[in-house]
Amino acid sequence: MIILTRADLVHEALIENGAIFATRPAENATRSIFSSNKFTVNASSYGPVWRSLRRNIVQNGLSAAKLRTFRHVRETAMDKLVERLKSESQANGGAVWVLKNTRFAMFCILLSMCFGVEMDEKTIEKIDDMMKTVLITLDPRIDDFMPLLRPFFSKKRNRAIEVRNQQIATLVPIIERRRAAVKDQGPIPPRRSSRTSTPFRRVRYPTGYECGDIYPAISEDPKLWTNPTKFDPDRFLTGAEDADITGVTAVKMMPFGVGRRICPGLGLATVHINLVLARMVQEFEWSSYPEDSKVDFSEKFQFTVVMKNSLRAMIKPRV
């Protein structure tokens, strides 16, 4: 495997040589259970199947034109978010859990877009919990990289199969419900793999050779960022620093990956991030909890890097 820790090398490999490093390596035993043997837009090999899957998801859910048709879904979800925050604040002296409530709002939108049916809060929270379990189950294990050790991880594999069955049992009835409704009305940074034997930096790598990058080495590079480990959103607002999140002009941060396998949900995500943040600031005044305390930025790995201690804040409705 090639491990890239410099932004210019990531740009060279995934942008300038994007077609070469556009496929995915072989799935490990656990991921193959959830990817239907690499038949998903995230896991499939670069080629006609992947292009068909990606085109389908973009045209039917993620294009700008399609996103506009879900405006009413976003408005309903934002109203629910505001009401949940108000209710939780009143019950807890002004304190609210930020991630739990914003995740709920996002799931309201995404589930409506995916399944086209209304769901109650209990069902939405059930699916959210189930998907978190799936992501945790997909965390890398040592036997993923050393197949000889798999006999010692049989319990883990059985657990993965159990979680997959739970996922199917949860989602398939919703899909069937939507299918029946339509009939009544009438007519997922992942590694890359080289597709061919290819020279890179004067070294020839064989077909199937894996290429990965280490995000912190780039996002915390003092050559690219001023005070890179400091949480400072104002660096973007003042124009002192910027970054092309698609990586086309240069690679400085990769929240959605870069190159031909860049996340097709980039537009969807940025619309929702801006919407949620704007509505939360519009409706409430925010302060630390407990009062005058500092935010704890310590981290933990849970499929992605998340806050070790989930953020809690004080809110007060704006007059």
Side-chain angles (χ1 to χ4, degrees), residues 280-292:
M280 290 167 69
V281 172
Q282 180 187 48
E283 295 287 344
F284 305 103
E285 294 179 11
W286 295 76
S287 58
S288 58
Y289 177 86
E291 188 176 358
D292 297 326

Side-chain angles (χ1 to χ4, degrees), residues 134-197:
V134 170
L135 294 179
I136 292 171
T137 303
L138 289 173
D139 280 351
R141 301 195 311 262
I142 189 171
D143 62 311
D144 294 333
F145 306 97
M146 301 180 68
L148 288 174
L149 297 179
R150 283 177 187 167
F152 300 99
F153 289 84
S154 58
K155 289 184 178 180
K156 294 285 187 180
R157 180 172 174 78
N158 291 338
R159 172 57 180 163
I161 295 172
E162 179 185 333
V163 171
R164 176 58 168 170
N165 290 335
Q166 291 173 355
Q167 184 187 34
I168 293 172
T170 301
L171 298 182
V172 168
I174 301 173
I175 295 171
E176 294 298 338
R177 204 167 105 207
R178 173 59 177 171
R179 183 176 293 167
V182 171
K183 183 179 292 187
D184 291 342
Q185 292 172 4
I188 26 176
R191 304 191 308 273
R192 311 291 179 92
S193 180
S194 59
R195 299 167 57 219
T196 61
S197 176

Side-chain angles (χ1 to χ4, degrees), residues 94-115:
V96 296
W97 293 103
V98 179
L99 178 60
K100 181 186 74 173
N101 288 296
T102 53
R103 275 183 65 95
F104 175 83
M106 289 299 95
F107 262 76
C108 286
I109 297 172
L110 296 176
L111 292 177
S112 182
M113 290 177 64
C114 287
F115 301 110

Side-chain angles (χ1 to χ4, degrees), residues 24-32 34-35 37-38 40 43 150:
R24 290 281 191 243
E27 288 278 73
N28 61 48
T30 302
R31 285 183 174 273
S32 64
F34 291 89
S35 70
N37 195 24
K38 300 191 70 170
T40 66
R150 283 177 187 167

Side-chain angles (χ1 to χ4, degrees), residues 1-189:
M1 177 188 288
I2 316 169
I3 299 295
L4 306 178
T5 59
R6 276 174 30 199
D8 60 325
L9 294 182
V10 173
H11 189 274
E12 182 179 341
L14 304 186
I15 301 295
E16 297 174 23
N17 295 283
I20 295 173
F21 292 103
T23 197
R24 290 281 191 243
E27 288 278 73
N28 61 48
T30 302
R31 285 183 174 273
S32 64
I33 295 171
F34 291 89
S35 70
S36 300
N37 195 24
K38 300 191 70 170
F39 199 75
T40 66
V41 70
N42 182 60
S44 60
S45 299
Y46 186 74
V49 172
W50 173 78
R51 282 191 287 269
S52 179
L53 290 170
R54 187 180 178 98
R55 182 169 57 249
N56 180 61
I57 193 173
V58 170
Q59 291 179 350
N60 293 291
L62 301 178
S63 68
K66 195 66 176 181
L67 286 178
R68 285 194 289 271
T69 68
F70 292 108
R71 178 176 177 177
H72 68 288
V73 173
R74 292 191 291 272
E75 290 174 346
T76 299
M78 291 304 99
D79 290 341
K80 288 182 179 180
L81 171 62
V82 170
E83 289 306 312
R84 279 173 65 97
L85 289 171
K86 284 181 178 178
S87 177
E88 187 174 321
S89 171
Q90 292 169 359
N92 295 282
V96 296
W97 293 103
V98 179
L99 178 60
K100 181 186 74 173
N101 288 296
T102 53
R103 275 183 65 95
F104 175 83
M106 289 299 95
F107 262 76
C108 286
I109 297 172
L110 296 176
L111 292 177
S112 182
M113 290 177 64
C114 287
F115 301 110
V117 295
E118 293 294 325
M119 300 184 193
D120 56 37
E121 288 195 16
K122 185 177 181 180
T123 301
I124 293 171
E125 290 173 349
K126 177 183 177 182
I127 295 174
D128 184 11
D129 289 340
M130 182 269 298
M131 292 306 298
K132 282 189 287 189
T133 302
V134 170
L135 294 179
I136 292 171
T137 303
L138 289 173
D139 280 351
R141 301 195 311 262
I142 189 171
D143 62 311
D144 294 333
F145 306 97
M146 301 180 68
L148 288 174
L149 297 179
R150 283 177 187 167
F152 300 99
F153 289 84
S154 58
K155 289 184 178 180
K156 294 285 187 180
R157 180 172 174 78
N158 291 338
R159 172 57 180 163
I161 295 172
E162 179 185 333
V163 171
R164 176 58 168 170
N165 290 335
Q166 291 173 355
Q167 184 187 34
I168 293 172
T170 301
L171 298 182
V172 168
I174 301 173
I175 295 171
E176 294 298 338
R177 204 167 105 207
R178 173 59 177 171
R179 183 176 293 167
V182 171
K183 183 179 292 187
D184 291 342
Q185 292 172 4
I188 26 176

Side-chain angles (χ1 to χ4, degrees), residues 232-300:
D232 181 20
D234 287 345
R235 71 175 75 223
F236 300 109
L237 296 176
T238 61
E241 294 182 285
D242 61 7
D244 174 10
I245 61 174
T246 67
V248 173
T249 57
V251 173
K252 294 181 68 175
M253 58 190 299
M254 299 181 287
F256 301 97
V258 296
R260 301 196 178 200
R261 301 300 291 241
I262 192 171
C263 178
L266 185 154
L268 172 80
T270 50
V271 165
H272 290 164
I273 290 170
N274 289 329
L275 177 62
V276 170
L277 185 59
R279 191 66 187 274
M280 290 167 69
V281 172
Q282 180 187 48
E283 295 287 344
F284 305 103
E285 294 179 11
W286 295 76
S287 58
S288 58
Y289 177 86
E291 188 176 358
D292 297 326
S293 62
K294 292 185 177 180
V295 176
D296 180 5
F297 286 105
S298 55
E299 306 168 343
K300 67 177 179 180

